Amino acid sequence: MKNRLLVIGGVAAGPKAAVKARRCDPEMEIVIYQDEDDISYAGCGLPYYISGIVKVRDELISRTPGKFVVDGIRIQKNRRVERIDTKERTISGKVVESEKTFTDHYDRLVLATGAEPIRPRMDGIELGNVFFLRSIFDADAILESIGSGQIQKVVIAGGGYIGLEMAEALILLGKKVTIVELAPQILTLFDEDFSGVLRQYLEKKGVQIFTSEAIKALKGNDGRVTRVQTVSQEIETDAVLMSLGVRPRVELAKQAGLKMGDTGAILVNEKMEASAEGVYAAGDCVETTHLVTGKRVWIPLGSTANKQGRVVGVNVCGGNAIFPGVMGTTIFKSFDWNVAKTGLNMKEAEEEGFRPIQAIVRGHDRADYYPGQKELILKLVADNGTGRILGGQVIGEGPSDKFIDILAMALHAKMTCKGLAFADLAYAPPYSPALSPMIVAANVLTNKLEGRVQGIEASEVREKLRTSKDSFQVLDVREEQEVKEKRIPNSLWIPLGDLKKRMEELDKRKEIAVHCDQGLRSYKACLRLRHEGFENVKNVDGGMLCWLDEQESGEVRKK
């Protein structure tokens, strides 16, 4: 008798599992249940569909029901599964917008129910032109309202990936965009300095951003939202996009008695098996293992869902495929910048018990003399005890995907910064400098590990300027024109070329934080000062590049 596979969920992990299972077992009966009218669409492409970059809706449909049927996979659309009986191996539910019910039986069951937007309890949340963006139908609703011509100002609640992608989409459509974020920074999975650099870039593109700002209520007239009330102000708007994050859809799994993990998502093993025999789960509804920390995590990403779906497709046919885990490798586009992250940021590394150090370098995607070069800023994080690479972040016009993928592979291999410094990366002038920015960052970390220089974060400099003025000094070693444009308040300016003859202006008893534009000249200054007997000297990571606080400008005083 043929085995019968039922798949609940038809966007990413579910269809992938079904297609892979068909390839492994041509005789298996396979049915996908989906509670929407469309199936197997690219949810990550929705902001680009709204902006018009993706011009045709059907281009987002990866695989139509007809293509599934050709492969012998039956699609049951608009069927909402409401109950699973793991002992009898049955499912039951209702046809959407109907009183009709259905039941079905399985030998193997796959839960791929995904995630759902966080919907806060808030006055005015049911007003017209208040949107969420999770499904292709959400995108349809947003486009319909934008097409009416009544929306010119949009407030985005939340400064995460989707919120920032939608900020670009709406600006491209000629809308005025305001982001309101509860946290002290946008892009909370990144470090404060890189988040701040991106914020400055977005503000130059016309996006207004308020952080540390809680939304209290939405207000409206004639059934449509017109104002957003925060703790400190009211913002006029024609529409609101609620982009407060997502949570795993696990109600059905809980009803079935499946075990949940500490993250709140479904607990599965390496083979993607849930706690009931014959039941598998994959995608945004499950937790997995972080390959750097070894801990259980919930990191919903489309790439992860597809890989997990493939593992499930093998195993429901009797295979032994393994999904080892994730590192949260992600990238998104923000206007002309590419923003990417993998592994742990500095704060996460500290929370996990590491002693993290960082290198921040500004580099280019090709040789300086080759035309068309694009700039990027790269951060590399390593453990100060072992030198093991823990993570990294990349932002800028340059190919962030290239560098973050190098880092992801370094994390997979558990490489140290010394090992990464000698990675055999491709070089030719149209593609890279002779020393890749990745190699440069690894060398900076190696210098720190070997005690040649100590680093200090810009946030720590800011705090010490506030609390330790009598024992702390900031030394600026840039050139005069750079200092005229901007400088750190209360800093001492001595150009690198003048440092040797003006060292008497510095107090050896004080801690000295040295900075330049991005770190190279200040590194040289640190070496020179240490040679002259200055013991408590630190290089400001990222220099003025990562100084996001108050700045002075104007003529500089010469000695």
Side-chain angles (χ1 to χ4, degrees):
M1 190 170 74
K2 296 179 181 179
N3 283 326
R4 185 172 179 82
L5 171 66
L6 301 186
V7 178
I8 303 174
V11 177
K16 177 62 72 174
V19 170
K20 183 61 179 176
R22 168 57 69 234
R23 292 171 184 164
C24 294
D25 185 348
E27 300 300 323
M28 178 179 280
E29 294 183 7
I30 304 174
V31 184
I32 299 177
Y33 281 87
Q34 168 75 334
D35 60 4
E36 296 175 328
D37 193 48
D38 276 313
I39 189 169
S40 192
Y41 57 80
C44 296
L46 298 179
Y48 308 109
Y49 169 51
I50 291 170
S51 70
I53 293 174
V54 177
K55 300 186 182 303
V56 180
R57 185 183 190 274
D58 285 350
E59 292 178 355
L60 294 176
I61 308 299
S62 303
R63 195 177 179 93
T64 63
K67 290 182 179 179
F68 282 102
V69 170
V70 170
D71 286 336
I73 299 171
R74 192 152 59 94
I75 305 299
Q76 293 282 36
K77 298 190 300 180
N78 297 313
R79 301 296 200 276
R80 181 173 294 117
V81 179
E82 297 179 336
R83 180 175 175 79
I84 299 171
D85 188 328
T86 58
K87 291 182 179 180
E88 298 296 326
R89 297 200 175 197
T90 61
I91 67 169
S92 58
K94 289 183 178 180
V95 178
V96 175
E97 297 183 358
S98 169
E99 295 301 316
K100 294 181 180 180
T101 62
F102 63 87
T103 60
D104 204 345
H105 70 92
Y106 65 86
D107 298 296
R108 298 286 185 270
L109 178 67
V110 178
L111 281 177
T113 48
E116 59 188 358
I118 294 174
R119 298 176 181 268
R121 294 180 179 177
M122 179 186 298
D123 288 346
I125 197 71
E126 302 299 331
L127 286 167
N129 287 348
V130 176
F131 302 106
F132 295 84
L133 182 60
R134 185 64 185 173
S135 74
I136 196 168
F137 306 101
D138 295 330
D140 292 337
I142 292 171
L143 274 176
E144 182 180 355
S145 291
I146 288 176
S148 69
Q150 298 176 345
I151 295 177
Q152 298 302 321
K153 294 176 287 187
V154 181
V155 171
I156 299 175
Y161 298 144
I162 296 298
L164 297 181
E165 287 176 339
M166 281 300 298
E168 175 191 352
L170 292 165
I171 288 286
L172 292 177
L173 291 171
K175 310 306 176 185
K176 181 180 178 181
V177 177
T178 301
I179 293 175
V180 180
E181 169 60 56
L182 176 62
Q185 66 180 68
I186 59 170
L187 210 60
T188 55
L189 293 177
F190 283 62
D191 283 317
E192 177 188 1
D193 46 15
F194 269 43
S195 167
V197 171
L198 180 62
R199 174 175 180 164
Q200 291 180 339
Y201 173 74
L202 289 170
E203 289 174 336
K204 289 178 182 178
K205 291 292 185 179
V207 181
Q208 188 175 35
I209 300 173
F210 297 104
T211 51
S212 300
E213 191 85 19
I215 296 177
K216 293 177 63 178
L218 307 180
K219 298 183 177 181
N221 292 321
D222 299 325
R224 293 182 179 178
V225 68
T226 58
R227 288 164 294 158
V228 174
Q229 181 181 351
T230 74
V231 292
S232 64
Q233 61 181 313
E234 281 197 350
I235 304 171
E236 292 186 1
T237 190
D238 303 313
V240 174
L241 174 64
M242 303 301 295
S243 184
L244 302 175
V246 296
R247 62 177 137 229
R249 291 181 63 186
V250 294
E251 292 78 11
L252 186 60
K254 288 181 177 179
Q255 174 276 316
L258 300 182
K259 290 182 180 179
M260 299 293 115
D262 291 338
T263 67
I266 302 171
L267 180 67
V268 293
N269 61 18
E270 289 180 326
K271 297 179 69 174
M272 309 308 297
E273 293 172 315
S275 57
E277 185 179 356
V279 179
Y280 297 76
D284 291 356
C285 61
V286 306
E287 66 175 32
T288 186
T289 301
H290 199 290
L291 293 176
V292 177
T293 68
K295 293 183 176 180
R296 303 294 287 180
V297 292
W298 180 66
I299 302 177
L301 290 170
S303 55
T304 300
N306 276 275
K307 286 180 282 190
Q308 290 177 339
R310 190 178 190 279
V311 169
V312 169
V314 172
N315 292 339
V316 295
C317 298
N320 193 35
I322 297 297
F323 184 77
V326 300
M327 297 173 298
T329 306
T330 186
I331 187 168
F332 71 96
K333 177 179 175 293
S334 182
F335 295 95
D336 296 324
W337 276 21
N338 310 300
V339 186
K341 176 186 184 287
T342 190
L344 306 179
N345 61 35
M346 287 289 286
K347 182 179 179 181
E348 289 168 337
E350 289 174 358
E351 291 173 347
E352 292 297 334
F354 295 102
R355 293 189 295 127
I357 54 175
Q358 65 179 8
I360 300 173
V361 300
R362 174 184 277 170
H364 296 92
D365 63 340
R366 57 194 69 183
D368 290 342
Y369 55 83
Y370 195 90
Q373 64 178 223
K374 294 182 179 179
E375 186 178 80
L376 55 86
I377 309 164
L378 186 152
K379 171 183 287 197
L380 196 56
V381 179
D383 180 57
N384 196 26
T386 63
R388 178 187 172 187
I389 302 297
L390 301 176
Q393 298 154 50
V394 192
I395 58 176
E397 289 188 335
S400 297
D401 58 332
K402 169 183 175 179
F403 293 102
I404 216 65
D405 285 343
I406 292 171
L407 269 180
M409 294 309 298
L411 291 179
H412 272 288
K414 299 183 178 180
M415 292 180 70
T416 65
C417 48
K418 287 184 179 180
L420 183 57
F422 290 99
D424 191 11
L425 304 180
Y427 161 65
Y431 304 104
S432 172
L435 281 182
S436 163
M438 186 66 67
I439 303 296
V440 174
N443 282 328
V444 171
L445 283 180
T446 300
N447 287 335
K448 288 186 175 184
L449 284 168
E450 294 178 349
R452 292 189 179 92
V453 67
Q454 284 185 281
I456 184 170
E457 295 183 47
S459 58
E460 187 177 353
V461 173
R462 175 186 62 212
E463 182 64 18
K464 288 191 173 184
L465 280 173
R466 187 179 67 84
T467 61
S468 308
K469 292 181 180 179
D470 294 337
S471 59
F472 184 74
Q473 174 113 55
V474 176
L475 172 62
D476 186 341
V477 296
R478 297 175 300 154
E479 296 303 312
E480 181 175 357
Q481 186 56 44
E482 296 174 279
V483 180
K484 283 182 178 180
E485 293 177 3
K486 58 182 180 180
R487 67 182 298 184
I488 297 175
N490 301 312
S491 60
L492 173 64
W493 172 56
I494 303 177
L496 180 61
D498 295 343
L499 184 58
K500 187 172 182 180
K501 61 185 178 183
R502 292 178 57 185
M503 284 190 182
E504 73 279 357
E505 298 177 37
L506 297 168
D507 190 339
K508 288 187 176 181
R509 296 169 298 179
K510 290 185 177 183
E511 178 182 5
I512 302 174
V514 189
H515 82 86
C516 59
D517 180 49
Q518 54 186 302
L520 179 57
R521 285 172 291 175
S522 53
Y523 169 62
K524 295 177 181 178
C526 286
L527 295 179
R528 188 169 298 174
L529 288 169
R530 290 188 63 179
H531 181 73
E532 296 295 330
F534 289 81
E535 296 181 357
N536 198 1
V537 179
K538 296 177 181 177
N539 193 12
V540 180
D541 294 330
M544 286 301 290
L545 186 67
C546 294
W547 184 262
L548 307 171
D549 298 277
E550 181 184 358
Q551 300 174 359
E552 294 178 341
S553 60
E555 294 297 322
V556 297
R557 298 187 300 274
K558 296 184 179 180
K559 184 76 175 175

